[in-house]
Short mmCIF file of all heavy atoms in Angstrom, two decimals:
data_model
loop_
_atom_site.label_atom_id
_atom_site.label_comp_id
_atom_site.label_asym_id
_atom_site.label_seq_id
_atom_site.Cartn_x
_atom_site.Cartn_y
_atom_site.Cartn_z
N MET E 300 16.50 19.49 -7.70
CA MET E 300 15.61 19.51 -8.88
C MET E 300 14.22 19.97 -8.49
O MET E 300 13.76 19.61 -7.40
CB MET E 300 15.47 18.09 -9.48
CG MET E 300 16.70 17.59 -10.11
SD MET E 300 16.26 16.06 -10.94
CE MET E 300 17.50 14.99 -10.20
N ARG E 301 13.63 20.71 -9.36
CA ARG E 301 12.21 21.03 -9.25
C ARG E 301 11.47 20.20 -10.29
O ARG E 301 11.89 20.20 -11.48
CB ARG E 301 11.91 22.50 -9.50
CG ARG E 301 10.50 22.83 -9.23
CD ARG E 301 10.14 24.30 -9.41
NE ARG E 301 11.16 25.19 -8.90
CZ ARG E 301 11.33 26.40 -9.26
NH1 ARG E 301 10.46 26.96 -10.15
NH2 ARG E 301 12.25 27.18 -8.80
N VAL E 302 10.49 19.46 -9.86
CA VAL E 302 9.78 18.58 -10.74
C VAL E 302 8.32 19.08 -10.94
O VAL E 302 7.67 19.40 -9.94
CB VAL E 302 9.75 17.10 -10.25
CG1 VAL E 302 8.95 16.19 -11.13
CG2 VAL E 302 11.18 16.62 -10.08
N ASP E 303 7.90 19.19 -12.16
CA ASP E 303 6.55 19.65 -12.50
C ASP E 303 5.61 18.43 -12.47
O ASP E 303 5.77 17.49 -13.29
CB ASP E 303 6.55 20.30 -13.86
CG ASP E 303 5.23 20.81 -14.30
OD1 ASP E 303 4.23 20.70 -13.56
OD2 ASP E 303 5.10 21.29 -15.46
N LEU E 304 4.66 18.41 -11.54
CA LEU E 304 3.68 17.35 -11.45
C LEU E 304 2.34 17.81 -11.89
O LEU E 304 1.31 17.11 -11.64
CB LEU E 304 3.64 16.87 -9.98
CG LEU E 304 4.92 16.33 -9.39
CD1 LEU E 304 4.79 16.01 -7.91
CD2 LEU E 304 5.41 15.12 -10.19
N ASP E 305 2.22 18.99 -12.53
CA ASP E 305 0.94 19.49 -13.02
C ASP E 305 0.19 18.47 -13.86
O ASP E 305 0.78 17.83 -14.72
CB ASP E 305 1.12 20.81 -13.76
CG ASP E 305 1.52 21.96 -12.88
OD1 ASP E 305 1.40 21.82 -11.64
OD2 ASP E 305 2.00 22.96 -13.45
N GLY E 306 -1.07 18.36 -13.58
CA GLY E 306 -1.92 17.47 -14.37
C GLY E 306 -1.97 16.03 -13.85
O GLY E 306 -2.76 15.22 -14.38
N LEU E 307 -1.08 15.69 -12.93
CA LEU E 307 -1.07 14.35 -12.40
C LEU E 307 -1.97 14.29 -11.13
O LEU E 307 -1.94 15.18 -10.31
CB LEU E 307 0.35 13.92 -12.01
CG LEU E 307 1.36 13.83 -13.16
CD1 LEU E 307 2.73 13.48 -12.66
CD2 LEU E 307 0.85 12.81 -14.21
N THR E 308 -2.67 13.16 -11.01
CA THR E 308 -3.49 12.97 -9.80
C THR E 308 -2.61 12.64 -8.68
O THR E 308 -1.70 11.79 -8.75
CB THR E 308 -4.46 11.79 -10.05
OG1 THR E 308 -5.29 12.14 -11.20
CG2 THR E 308 -5.38 11.57 -8.84
N ILE E 309 -2.84 13.32 -7.52
CA ILE E 309 -2.06 13.09 -6.35
C ILE E 309 -2.97 12.55 -5.25
O ILE E 309 -3.89 13.23 -4.80
CB ILE E 309 -1.34 14.40 -5.88
CG1 ILE E 309 -0.44 14.91 -6.98
CG2 ILE E 309 -0.58 14.19 -4.57
CD1 ILE E 309 0.20 16.24 -6.66
N GLU E 310 -2.68 11.33 -4.81
CA GLU E 310 -3.35 10.76 -3.63
C GLU E 310 -2.63 11.24 -2.40
O GLU E 310 -1.39 11.24 -2.38
CB GLU E 310 -3.29 9.24 -3.72
CG GLU E 310 -3.95 8.51 -2.53
CD GLU E 310 -3.85 7.00 -2.66
OE1 GLU E 310 -3.63 6.50 -3.74
OE2 GLU E 310 -4.01 6.38 -1.59
N ALA E 311 -3.39 11.68 -1.40
CA ALA E 311 -2.76 12.26 -0.20
C ALA E 311 -3.24 11.44 1.02
O ALA E 311 -4.39 11.12 1.14
CB ALA E 311 -3.11 13.72 -0.02
N ILE E 312 -2.29 11.12 1.89
CA ILE E 312 -2.60 10.55 3.18
C ILE E 312 -2.10 11.50 4.23
O ILE E 312 -1.08 12.14 4.07
CB ILE E 312 -2.04 9.13 3.36
CG1 ILE E 312 -0.52 9.13 3.24
CG2 ILE E 312 -2.66 8.15 2.38
CD1 ILE E 312 0.12 7.80 3.59
N SER E 313 -2.88 11.67 5.28
CA SER E 313 -2.49 12.63 6.34
C SER E 313 -1.87 11.97 7.52
O SER E 313 -1.22 12.63 8.33
CB SER E 313 -3.72 13.45 6.76
OG SER E 313 -4.72 12.60 7.25
N ILE E 314 -2.03 10.67 7.68
CA ILE E 314 -1.42 9.91 8.76
C ILE E 314 -0.72 8.73 8.18
O ILE E 314 -1.25 7.99 7.31
CB ILE E 314 -2.53 9.42 9.73
CG1 ILE E 314 -3.24 10.62 10.39
CG2 ILE E 314 -1.92 8.51 10.82
CD1 ILE E 314 -4.44 10.30 11.22
N LEU E 315 0.50 8.54 8.62
CA LEU E 315 1.28 7.39 8.13
C LEU E 315 0.63 6.10 8.57
O LEU E 315 0.23 5.95 9.74
CB LEU E 315 2.69 7.45 8.62
CG LEU E 315 3.60 8.43 7.91
CD1 LEU E 315 4.97 8.48 8.58
CD2 LEU E 315 3.78 8.10 6.44
N PRO E 316 0.52 5.13 7.68
CA PRO E 316 -0.03 3.82 8.11
C PRO E 316 0.98 3.11 9.02
O PRO E 316 2.12 3.48 9.11
CB PRO E 316 -0.17 3.06 6.81
CG PRO E 316 0.52 3.81 5.75
CD PRO E 316 0.82 5.22 6.28
N ALA E 317 0.48 2.07 9.71
CA ALA E 317 1.31 1.34 10.64
C ALA E 317 2.51 0.71 9.96
O ALA E 317 3.63 0.70 10.53
CB ALA E 317 0.49 0.18 11.29
N ASN E 318 2.38 0.30 8.70
CA ASN E 318 3.53 -0.25 7.97
C ASN E 318 3.67 0.62 6.70
O ASN E 318 3.16 0.23 5.62
CB ASN E 318 3.32 -1.69 7.66
CG ASN E 318 4.51 -2.35 7.01
OD1 ASN E 318 5.36 -1.73 6.45
ND2 ASN E 318 4.56 -3.65 7.11
N PRO E 319 4.40 1.74 6.71
CA PRO E 319 4.50 2.58 5.54
C PRO E 319 5.09 1.91 4.32
O PRO E 319 4.65 2.14 3.18
CB PRO E 319 5.44 3.73 6.02
CG PRO E 319 5.34 3.73 7.49
CD PRO E 319 5.09 2.27 7.91
N ALA E 320 6.06 1.04 4.52
CA ALA E 320 6.69 0.37 3.37
C ALA E 320 5.70 -0.55 2.65
O ALA E 320 5.58 -0.53 1.42
CB ALA E 320 7.90 -0.46 3.83
N ALA E 321 4.91 -1.32 3.40
CA ALA E 321 3.89 -2.19 2.84
C ALA E 321 2.84 -1.35 2.10
O ALA E 321 2.36 -1.73 1.00
CB ALA E 321 3.29 -3.06 3.89
N PHE E 322 2.39 -0.25 2.72
CA PHE E 322 1.42 0.63 2.13
C PHE E 322 1.95 1.15 0.77
O PHE E 322 1.22 1.12 -0.24
CB PHE E 322 1.08 1.77 3.06
CG PHE E 322 0.05 2.70 2.50
CD1 PHE E 322 -1.30 2.45 2.74
CD2 PHE E 322 0.40 3.81 1.78
CE1 PHE E 322 -2.27 3.34 2.22
CE2 PHE E 322 -0.55 4.70 1.27
CZ PHE E 322 -1.91 4.42 1.47
N GLY E 323 3.20 1.63 0.77
CA GLY E 323 3.79 2.15 -0.45
C GLY E 323 3.96 1.11 -1.50
O GLY E 323 3.72 1.40 -2.70
N ASP E 324 4.40 -0.11 -1.11
CA ASP E 324 4.51 -1.16 -2.12
C ASP E 324 3.14 -1.50 -2.74
O ASP E 324 3.07 -1.69 -3.95
CB ASP E 324 5.05 -2.43 -1.43
CG ASP E 324 6.52 -2.31 -1.06
OD1 ASP E 324 7.19 -1.35 -1.56
OD2 ASP E 324 7.01 -3.15 -0.28
#
Side-chain angles (χ1 to χ4, degrees):
M300 289 187 237
R301 186 180 319 161
V302 178
D303 179 3
L304 300 175
D305 288 346
L307 296 177
T308 302
I309 299 174
E310 178 180 340
I312 59 173
S313 58
I314 298 172
L315 284 174
N318 187 339
F322 182 89
D324 288 345

